[in-house]
Amino acid sequence: MKILLLEDNKKLNEAITKRLNLKGYNVLSFLDGKDAYEMVTEGFSCFILDINVPNIDGIKILKKIREYYNSLPVIIISASVELDVIKQAYDFGCNDFLKKPFFIDELEIKIEKLCNIQNDKIYFDENSYFDFKSSLVSINDEESRLTKKEKLLLNLFLTKKNQLISYESIENYVWEGNFASLESIRSLIRRVRKILNKDYIQTVVDTGYIFKTD
């Protein structure tokens, strides 16, 4: 599972990254909010955000995440105990709030819990995506026999409609950070195309795909 970590305290950042990597997570860590902001859509499964960081704060990054992903887990970590700050984080869609200082073991527990919940929700959230179901062939019937990767790919396409989705983004999201050959990705695309009413998936040569709905 690929995790984005934003923490401007270098020692804490390194400690969290080291521990989570040892647990088998693929952690991409940032000290600066601007750098993290630009990477939000690159196929992460979970986000850990400090609020008070240089250039772009964690709340603004949280808002951007929720523009693209309705239910991917976001954990806010902060030394702030101000209720207004905590309320703002929850209002903008964080899933949990962890006050510094904390034990990294506690962070691990929260990640595991939230990602287990996410695995139950990741496929075709009716409130978010079924307004587009008319573009799919008998999606209610198809859903029961789609593979996990087919569901993940459709979820990615529906989340990023009319945007370029690179091979790397598909690999990171659908294969959850593990290696996928170009032929494996193309094979998956061919299978998903078969359940669409139209060829919404447009190929961008040597780059990726666009799920074109306009």
Side-chain angles (χ1 to χ4, degrees), residues 9-155:
N9 182 304
K10 188 175 181 180
K11 289 186 177 180
L12 179 57
N13 186 307
E14 291 175 350
I16 294 173
T17 299
K18 181 178 180 180
R19 174 70 73 84
L20 295 182
N21 281 337
L22 286 172
K23 287 289 185 177
Y25 297 114
N26 177 15
V27 180
L28 190 59
S29 63
F30 300 91
L31 300 169
D32 186 288
K34 184 176 184 294
D35 295 334
Y37 187 88
E38 294 172 352
M39 294 294 292
V40 159
T41 60
E42 294 302 309
F44 293 95
S45 302
C46 180
F47 301 86
I48 303 168
L49 307 175
D50 190 6
I51 294 178
N52 297 312
V53 295
N55 293 315
I56 299 179
D57 66 53
I59 296 296
K60 290 180 181 177
I61 296 171
L62 170 61
K63 290 169 68 176
K64 180 177 180 180
I65 291 169
R66 287 297 174 243
E67 288 174 3
Y68 287 90
Y69 310 111
N70 288 328
S71 57
L72 287 184
V74 179
I75 301 171
I76 295 292
I77 55 176
S78 178
S80 175
V81 292
E82 296 179 16
L83 288 178
D84 287 346
V85 173
I86 298 173
K87 182 178 184 301
Q88 187 178 35
Y90 280 110
D91 285 346
F92 284 118
C94 85
N95 298 88
D96 212 331
F97 189 101
L98 194 55
K99 182 186 176 301
K100 299 179 188 177
F102 56 83
F103 293 106
I104 298 179
D105 289 347
E106 184 180 0
L107 177 61
E108 288 180 18
I109 292 169
K110 289 181 181 294
I111 292 170
E112 183 177 353
K113 177 178 181 294
L114 288 170
C115 289
N116 285 339
I117 293 171
Q118 173 61 18
N119 287 338
D120 291 334
K121 293 182 178 178
I122 195 165
Y123 310 126
F124 303 107
D125 180 341
E126 183 168 355
N127 293 329
S128 302
Y129 302 121
F130 273 19
D131 60 337
F132 193 65
K133 69 179 180 179
S134 60
S135 299
L136 305 176
V137 176
S138 303
I139 190 63
N140 290 318
D141 296 330
E142 292 285 347
E143 183 183 359
S144 63
R145 61 186 181 86
L146 291 176
T147 67
K148 177 181 178 181
K149 285 185 171 59
E150 289 165 352
K151 290 180 178 181
L152 282 168
L153 181 63
L154 275 170
N155 192 63

